[in-house]
């Protein structure tokens, strides 16, 4: 057991059984000096931030190469400290297998603490009454749980995804990060070029771990149970009308348990007023959008 694990075990025994620290240490055979030790290590905030920035710039460099850059910049620290921080921040280089794929952000994704910082998206599939299939692309804000857009179509390639995101960015401003799975449409060249031109970090979850995109998985379940399974769709136009009506109801009427039974719109308004001194949420939701990108140019770059 690690020293930190031993400290936690002693604290657990003390709190659970109401015994002294001396007795808990004797029961667990742990040295009291280890438990009572207080760290005197100086803060490594600047080193940690610079290491993360270098790892983001040079995705395929390990900690030894990154240490060379840090020393060039004047950070006087040994390789063991750099390795420790490198592991704590989860910056390990992942081994690539198979064909070339899109690469997303390298560090673990932090939880958003403001509106418009992190969007997540995913696909849902359904069928018309005649058996033809169609797909639904749902995009949500992770902080307010607001469904920003739901696009339905019989085909949803990467260029169509980029077009939907472009329209949304022009209305709402660009986020800092977009989270998705590793579907072929979302790892396509069109989506990668769009994200790069907008300077948006794209975070791909690990394959086989949908819980890493839990916000959208929860939303997909609600769309399926409360909308798609409740209606028969005879045409694409009808499906779009019903799904958009459900989106409006979800954002403005339906109470959300994770938000204290507020609607996403009420939560966003309350949070924006708290953070900006009463300014309406539409003025503080997102980072201003850059000039519109000509998506026709994506065809030329992909040719």
């Amino acid at each position: 057991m690690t020293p930190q694990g031993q400290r936690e075990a002693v604290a657990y025994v003390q709190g659970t059984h109401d015994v002294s620290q001396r007795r808990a240490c004797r029961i667990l055979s742990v040295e009291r000096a280890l438990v009572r030790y207080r760290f005197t290590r100086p803060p490594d905030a600047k080193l940690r931030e610079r290491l993360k920035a270098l790892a983001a710039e040079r995705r395929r460099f390990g900690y030894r190469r990154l240490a060379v850059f840090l020393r060039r910049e004047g950070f006087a620290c040994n390789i063991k400290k750099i390795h420790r921080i490198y592991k704590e921040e989860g910056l390990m280089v992942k081994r690539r297998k198979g064909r070339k794929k899109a690469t997303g952000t390298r560090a673990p994704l932090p939880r958003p603490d403001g509106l418009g910082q992190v969007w997540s998206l995913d696909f849902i599939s359904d069928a018309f009454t005649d058996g033809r299939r169609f797909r639904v692309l749902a995009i949500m804000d992770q902080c307010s749980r607001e469904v920003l857009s739901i696009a339905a179509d019989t085909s949803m390639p990467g260029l169509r995804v980029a077009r939907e995101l472009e329209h949304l960015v022009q209305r709402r401003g660009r986020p800092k990060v977009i989270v998705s799975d590793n579907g072929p449409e979302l790892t396509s060249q069109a989506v990668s070029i769009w994200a790069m031109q907008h300077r948006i970090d794209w975070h791909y979850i690990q394959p086989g771990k949908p819980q890493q995109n839990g916000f959208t998985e929860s939303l997909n379940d609600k769309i399926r149970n409360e909308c798609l399974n409740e209606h028969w769709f005879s045409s694409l136009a009808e499906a779009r009308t019903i799904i958009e009506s459900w989106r409006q109801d979800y954002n403005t009427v339906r109470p959300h348990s994770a938000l204290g039974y507020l609607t996403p719109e009420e939560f966003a308004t309350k949070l924006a007023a708290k953070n900006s001194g009463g300014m309406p949420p539409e003025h503080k939701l997102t980072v201003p959008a850059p000039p519109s990108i000509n998506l026709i140019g994506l065809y030329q770059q992909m040719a």
Side-chain angles (χ1 to χ4, degrees), residues 109-120 139-148 165 168-179 194 198-201 215 259 264-265 267-269 271-272 275 280-290:
L109 181 68
R111 183 159 185 164
D113 56 2
L115 300 173
Q117 293 183 354
V118 182
W119 293 356
S120 58
I139 307 172
M140 73 176 298
D141 185 298
Q142 286 195 2
C143 180
S144 66
R145 312 299 203 277
E146 179 184 2
V147 184
L148 305 175
L165 289 170
L168 186 57
V169 164
Q170 292 306 315
R171 296 199 315 269
R172 304 295 297 266
R174 63 184 176 91
K176 296 179 181 179
V177 183
I178 295 179
V179 185
W194 180 87
H198 274 284
R199 302 184 302 278
I200 297 175
D201 293 331
F215 292 97
L259 304 177
E265 184 180 72
F267 179 83
T269 302
L271 183 61
N275 294 339
E282 57 269 17
H283 296 289
K284 285 288 183 179
L285 277 177
T286 51
V287 180

Side-chain angles (χ1 to χ4, degrees), residues 5 39 46 50 52 79 88 122 158 217 247 296:
F39 291 102
K46 292 184 179 180
R50 186 55 187 151
K52 290 165 62 177
I79 194 68
E88 290 175 355
D122 200 2
E217 292 296 329
R247 186 185 77 86
I296 297 177

Side-chain angles (χ1 to χ4, degrees), residues 17 91 210 277 294:
H17 300 284
L91 302 176
N294 182 11

Side-chain angles (χ1 to χ4, degrees), residues 31-42:
E31 294 291 338
R32 290 184 66 208
L34 184 147
V35 177
R36 299 175 68 86
Y37 175 76
R38 293 294 177 264
F39 291 102
T40 58
R41 182 185 299 158

Side-chain angles (χ1 to χ4, degrees), residues 74-272:
F75 288 96
C77 49
N78 60 30
I79 194 68
K80 291 187 291 184
K81 172 183 279 193
I82 296 174
H83 186 220
R84 172 177 58 80
I85 298 175
Y86 183 84
K87 291 201 305 182
E88 290 175 355
E89 294 296 332
L91 302 176
M92 285 73 71
V93 177
K94 298 178 177 61
R95 181 171 296 179
R96 288 179 174 172
K97 297 181 180 179
R99 66 179 179 86
K100 182 179 178 180
K101 297 181 180 179
T103 56
T105 57
R106 184 170 170 183
L109 181 68
R111 183 159 185 164
D113 56 2
L115 300 173
Q117 293 183 354
V118 182
W119 293 356
S120 58
L121 53 85
D122 200 2
F123 288 101
I124 316 168
S125 179
D126 203 9
F128 299 116
T129 53
D130 59 5
R132 291 181 300 131
R133 308 292 298 181
F134 70 95
R135 305 185 76 190
V136 177
L137 173 65
I139 307 172
M140 73 176 298
D141 185 298
Q142 286 195 2
C143 180
S144 66
R145 312 299 203 277
E146 179 184 2
V147 184
L148 305 175
S149 174
I150 301 183
D153 210 332
T154 53
S155 178
M156 198 75 68
L159 194 62
R160 175 62 192 282
V161 173
R163 189 177 71 189
E164 293 296 331
L165 289 170
E166 178 69 19
H167 292 164
L168 186 57
V169 164
Q170 292 306 315
R171 296 199 315 269
R172 304 295 297 266
R174 63 184 176 91
K176 296 179 181 179
V177 183
I178 295 179
V179 185
S180 76
D181 59 21
N182 295 268
E185 305 87 354
L186 304 177
T187 58
S188 65
Q189 189 177 23
V191 170
S192 299
I193 292 173
W194 180 87
M196 178 183 63
Q197 291 177 336
H198 274 284
R199 302 184 302 278
I200 297 175
D201 293 331
W202 200 290
H203 182 88
Y204 293 104
I205 65 174
Q206 295 177 347
K209 294 188 176 180
Q211 65 272 17
Q212 293 182 358
N213 196 13
F215 292 97
T216 307
E217 292 296 329
S218 176
L219 174 62
N220 288 351
D221 181 69
K222 295 178 178 65
I223 296 174
R224 175 74 65 189
N225 291 329
E226 300 177 12
C227 181
L228 300 183
N229 288 351
E230 293 294 315
H231 299 90
W232 288 95
F233 305 111
S234 59
S235 66
L236 183 59
E238 180 185 11
R240 287 173 172 171
T241 300
I242 293 175
I243 291 172
E244 177 60 21
S245 177
W246 180 89
R247 186 185 77 86
Q248 295 291 340
D249 180 83
Y250 180 90
N251 287 337
T252 60
V253 179
R254 181 189 185 280
H256 201 298
S257 59
L259 304 177
Y261 291 98
L262 298 174
T263 66
E265 184 180 72
E266 291 171 340
F267 179 83
T269 302
K270 183 177 180 181
L271 183 61

